[in-house]
Amino acid sequence: RKEVEQDPGPFNVPEGATVAFNCTYSNSASQSFFWYRQDCRKEPKLLMSVYSSGNEDGRFTAQLNRASQYISLLIRDSKLSDSATYLCVVGGGYQKVTFGTGTKLQVIP
Amino acid sequence: DAGVIQSPRHEVTEMGQEVTLRCKPISGHNSLFWYRQTMMRGLELLIYFNNNVPIDDSGMPEDRFSAKMPNASFSTLKIQPSEPRDSAVYFCASSFWALAGRHNYYIGELFFGEGSRLTVL
């Protein structure tokens, strides 16, 4: 089993739609969780950290489910500018920081 | 403020040649990471350093790859000899990690450089 798994997509959604991505991780000792965004041919950049209590930043909501070992990202009211690849990142403890392979989102006009 | 600086941005070389990629992390960061990205395998962690010491190099593909961090402001990733399958984008990232207890670390945001796109013919 991969350390961090994501559905590669692509997710093609119309503008204004709500879309959700999940990411599962294998190491129950993981302590730090993040979502990064990567635009085509660019470097990854932090979108948001994921806290145990869940957190929201504008149209974006991230949640952590330790029991089932997954994190989620919800994007409401999708914009064309949200089109990108979203990378799930897990780390902490003695673990190296591991990136998922990413979920590609394409928002369609 | 300067971000993570990588060089060269692009390199095209022939199989068998030595390739050296360079990285200058953000000042004050104590952790540095080298990643490789390809369409097939996504972002793969090659090696990471904490306080200039290599912590985990299990992602280094084989002996042809080596990485050094002689001081807090500079790191290199070397491939010798290079092969066509090494073609990828190589990212360097830096961060601040703090020990939060035995075996526990607080991991700060990873800041990535713009990457070095390597093509081995």
Side-chain angles (χ1 to χ4, degrees):
Chain A
R1 183 182 173 185
K2 288 184 179 178
E3 291 181 62
V4 179
E5 291 198 72
Q6 294 183 252
D7 182 341
F11 284 61
N12 297 313
V13 303
E15 270 188 291
T18 295
V19 62
F21 310 135
N22 280 346
C23 164
T24 59
Y25 59 95
S26 60
N27 190 334
S28 59
S30 300
Q31 297 179 18
S32 301
F33 308 90
F34 309 89
W35 283 102
Y36 277 68
R37 169 188 170 137
Q38 186 173 24
D39 294 302
C40 187
R41 302 180 77 83
K42 296 285 190 179
E43 71 275 20
K45 293 184 179 179
L46 180 68
L47 176 67
M48 59 197 304
S49 302
V50 186
Y51 304 123
S52 297
S53 55
N55 48 303
E56 187 174 312
D57 183 2
R59 297 181 294 108
F60 298 83
T61 300
Q63 292 191 316
L64 167 64
N65 185 317
R66 284 192 182 274
S68 301
Q69 294 183 205
Y70 75 85
I71 66 173
S72 64
L73 177 68
L74 181 78
I75 306 175
R76 290 181 298 276
D77 189 22
S78 299
K79 311 290 185 190
L80 294 176
S81 58
D82 294 334
S83 298
T85 296
Y86 291 84
L87 302 162
C88 167
V89 183
V90 175
Y94 255 6
Q95 246 189 345
K96 55 195 174 188
V97 178
T98 303
F99 280 72
T101 52
T103 297
K104 187 172 182 179
L105 172 66
Q106 185 70 46
V107 181
I108 303 165
Chain B
D1 291 338
V4 176
I5 300 171
Q6 291 187 245
S7 65
R9 291 290 311 281
H10 302 274
E11 176 143 353
V12 180
T13 191
E14 293 188 345
M15 182 173 65
Q17 296 299 305
E18 178 178 294
V19 173
T20 299
L21 308 178
R22 298 172 177 81
C23 176
K24 177 177 168 57
I26 292 174
S27 177
H29 283 183
N30 60 2
S31 295
L32 182 141
F33 306 78
W34 282 101
Y35 285 90
R36 177 174 68 177
Q37 187 172 40
T38 60
M39 287 292 291
M40 292 297 294
R41 301 172 70 93
L43 260 175
E44 299 176 279
L45 178 63
L46 301 177
I47 185 172
Y48 71 94
F49 297 83
N50 187 249
N51 292 321
N52 311 338
V53 176
I55 302 299
D56 185 342
D57 65 354
S58 59
M60 296 286 262
E62 47 200 270
D63 291 345
R64 297 185 298 106
F65 285 68
S66 62
K68 294 182 179 179
M69 191 165 186
N71 56 63
S73 59
F74 184 65
S75 177
T76 58
L77 178 68
K78 189 172 293 187
I79 309 172
Q80 167 62 21
S82 59
E83 297 182 1
R85 59 190 169 125
D86 301 330
S87 298
V89 179
Y90 291 81
F91 286 106
C92 174
S94 72
S95 180
F96 182 79
W97 282 23
L99 190 62
R102 189 179 180 198
H103 304 321
N104 295 326
Y105 290 89
Y106 162 78
I107 300 175
E109 176 182 353
L110 268 66
F111 291 84
F112 283 78
E114 293 182 303
S116 294
R117 184 173 297 274
L118 173 65
T119 301
V120 183
L121 302 174

